[in-house]
Amino acid sequence: MSTFSAPKGTFDLLPPDSEAVLAVRAAMAAPLRTAGYGYIETPVFEDTALFERGVGESTDVVSKEMYSFVTRGDDHVTLRPEGTAGVVRAAIQHRLYAGTLPVKLWYSGSFFRYERPQAGRYRHFSQVGAEALGVDDPALDAELIALAMRAYADLGLTRVRLLLNSLGCRECRPVYRAALQEFLRGLDLDEDTRRRVEINPLRVLDDKRPQVQAQLTDAPVVGDSLDEACRAHYDAVRATLSDLGVQWEEAPRLVRGLDYYTRTTFEFQHDGLGAQSAVGGGGRYDGLSEDVGGPPMPGVGWALGVDRTLLALKAEGVEVAGVAGVQVFAVPLGAEAKQRLISVVDALRRRGIAADVAYGDRGLKGAMKAADRSGARWALVAGDRDLADGVVQLKDLTSAEQEPVPLSEVVDQLEKRLQQ
Ligand code: HAM
């Protein structure tokens, strides 16, 4: 019979490597928690229309990459390709906008896009994200950007670059869109791209093909079309970033793959990842709430890619997490010893000492091998004779020295030795 593998574009996370994933998620969340962001969990699937209206029907994400299906109950649902639409949906549903503003939220979880898999691009991937809703204060944009940069720095990454742009608002963007369209209509483009010029011209700027990029050098940039309010907003974001000591690079051609963005947009890039260089990205989305049927509720946020951040750490040679392992490993010889040692191990665990037992009754040799592999510093070995004497053998696995310790004292003794 044939066996199964994880589906194309997905992978399993196994110990010990999986420890690094937990460490990355924790490091991304830590700065948010110190800045008043509360944890939110929303469903992994939502109504398909939420993404169509929120993310935008002409985006690649919605038109080509969604895992959409009709349920047995005839509901049209989609595995979330990103987190912002669901968070905004939840904020509208629970009327969070009626409370204290901004509403600051963070999340961590799985996302799904039917993309062509390659290094750093998966069909099932993991993000940590943050959203601040209800105020359009540019200082909030800067706060979020600074918190992401802090997370990368705390992880030990030194090669993350911040690319910054403003896409303007729904008043000034149409002016830019028209100018860009006029420019693009004069270029030598294939039919698909010409169609895109009419539907979503900003996306053409993101076309990676050299023959397209070569023609875009003189394309108008959105920064030249910003109205006064958008210009002031962008200046204020940059001023606060300077105050916070965050460095950035102006990226006048940075457009993002999701349609909801307004004003500030940014991407965190790493040069060690090849083509998939964005380790995170985000921006402001002041019209999203209204697009999905909610009240006016400006917002700004980002999502950091956990998988790509791991690749960036690897590229820089940074170790983020030690092996989880245990500190004490118990080797019982016989049924009675096993019963006793299981209780000792339980007592150790209750004091916060990581401990394990050789399960499976594989004999002394196999059990000692398991003790060595466990990473433990100490082994507890006991047979019938030890129990009759009321002791267990405490073995230092680094020096191989062994001494009997009274059973009643072994937990205290180990605690003391591990503190030394
Ligand atoms: P995004 O740029 O589509 O933004 O994704 C954010 C990050 O998720 C990317 O920079 C990348 O690191 C990671 N990522 C995206 N797709 C994949 C994939 N197929 N495989 C591996 N990693 C991937 C968003 O998702 C927005 N919701 C961010 C946001 C929040 N904007 C405002 N608030």
Side-chain angles (χ1 to χ4, degrees):
M1 207 165 58
S2 63
T3 55
F4 295 101
S5 301
K8 186 173 172 194
T10 73
F11 55 88
D12 302 307
L13 281 168
L14 305 173
D17 297 350
S18 48
E19 282 301 317
V21 176
L22 295 179
V24 166
R25 289 195 188 121
M28 289 172 169
L32 296 168
R33 300 170 72 133
T34 63
Y37 288 75
Y39 179 66
I40 181 171
E41 251 180 53
T42 60
V44 164
F45 57 87
E46 297 269 2
D47 281 346
T48 298
L50 174 71
F51 299 115
E52 287 170 349
R53 281 160 55 187
V55 174
E57 279 184 287
S58 65
T59 60
D60 280 357
V61 168
V62 170
S63 64
K64 297 186 196 154
E65 298 171 1
M66 295 217 294
Y67 280 90
S68 300
F69 54 101
V70 181
T71 68
R72 289 166 198 272
D74 239 3
D75 298 319
H76 291 246
V77 298
T78 293
L79 298 184
R80 58 184 184 187
E82 62 95 49
T84 311
V87 168
V88 168
R89 193 266 311 138
I92 296 166
Q93 182 179 338
H94 303 287
R95 297 174 50 83
L96 300 185
Y97 52 81
T100 316
L101 300 177
V103 181
K104 290 175 153 188
L105 301 165
W106 74 274
Y107 51 90
S108 172
S110 291
F111 297 86
F112 308 86
R113 295 183 193 176
Y114 192 81
E115 300 206 69
R116 201 166 46 75
Q118 62 183 87
R121 189 161 74 185
Y122 312 106
R123 291 180 172 173
H124 169 216
F125 58 97
S126 171
Q127 288 182 345
V128 170
E131 316 288 350
L133 306 171
V135 301
D136 63 3
D137 188 339
L140 201 49
D141 310 22
E143 168 180 285
L144 271 163
I145 290 171
L147 290 170
M149 292 302 271
R150 169 111 39 89
Y152 291 127
D154 288 350
L155 278 165
L157 288 172
T158 58
R159 280 155 54 192
V160 175
R161 293 154 54 221
L162 164 60
L163 304 187
L164 192 64
N165 194 16
S166 172
L167 291 181
C169 64
R170 297 195 177 190
E171 273 81 57
C172 60
R173 181 107 52 90
V175 179
Y176 172 64
R177 193 186 136 102
L180 180 63
Q181 253 170 347
E182 199 177 301
F183 173 84
L184 294 172
R185 283 182 192 132
L187 301 184
D188 176 23
L189 300 168
D190 59 85
E191 202 171 313
D192 260 4
T193 313
R194 278 215 299 276
R195 207 170 308 127
R196 187 175 286 172
V197 168
E198 301 311 317
I199 304 167
N200 198 342
L202 266 73
R203 299 287 323 135
V204 179
L205 294 180
D206 211 21
D207 198 314
K208 303 280 187 292
R209 291 172 297 176
Q211 70 269 31
V212 178
Q213 278 303 321
Q215 299 184 69
L216 294 175
T217 26
D218 296 328
V221 292
V222 62
D224 296 339
S225 309
L226 295 186
D227 63 24
E228 218 168 293
C230 288
R231 204 175 295 276
H233 185 99
Y234 195 36
D235 287 343
V237 171
R238 289 182 287 199
T240 311
L241 284 176
S242 290
D243 291 344
L244 294 172
V246 175
Q247 294 184 345
W248 71 91
E249 290 166 38
E250 292 289 337
R253 290 177 198 281
L254 175 73
V255 287
R256 307 251 313 122
L258 314 162
D259 269 358
Y260 48 61
Y261 290 111
T262 55
R263 294 190 163 171
T264 321
T265 45
F266 48 88
E267 218 156 77
F268 305 103
Q269 296 209 345
H270 195 277
D271 60 22
L273 301 187
Q276 305 306 316
S277 57
V279 285
R284 186 160 272 289
Y285 44 86
D286 291 340
L288 175 55
S289 171
E290 287 144 293
D291 289 345
V292 298
M297 179 170 60
V300 58
W302 47 242
L304 311 186
V306 174
D307 317 87
R308 286 189 199 167
T309 301
L310 278 165
L311 295 176
L313 287 162
K314 217 169 266 173
E316 289 200 31
V318 182
E319 291 275 342
V320 281
V323 180
V326 292
Q327 296 160 288
V328 179
F329 197 91
V331 176
L333 307 170
E336 202 190 331
K338 186 171 176 185
Q339 215 176 345
R340 292 287 186 87
L341 287 185
I342 282 175
S343 297
V344 171
V345 162
D346 183 52
L348 288 167
R349 289 173 180 168
R350 271 186 275 158
R351 293 200 191 178
I353 297 167
D356 202 358
V357 186
Y359 288 106
D361 304 324
R362 278 165 304 169
L364 181 62
K365 212 169 143 206
M368 287 313 294
K369 204 182 262 176
D372 281 333
R373 286 199 185 137
S374 74
R377 167 79 196 276
W378 301 97
L380 288 175
V381 187
D384 290 344
R385 194 154 12 113
D386 299 307
L387 294 183
D389 295 344
V391 299
V392 292
Q393 302 296 326
L394 181 58
K395 183 170 182 181
D396 184 334
L397 289 170
T398 41
S399 66
E401 277 165 31
Q402 183 170 312
E403 59 175 306
V405 174
L407 197 53
S408 56
E409 290 172 22
V410 70
V411 172
D412 287 338
Q413 278 232 16
L414 271 169
E415 192 171 39
K416 221 176 285 157
R417 288 182 197 220
L418 283 163
Q419 275 164 2
Q420 281 164 7

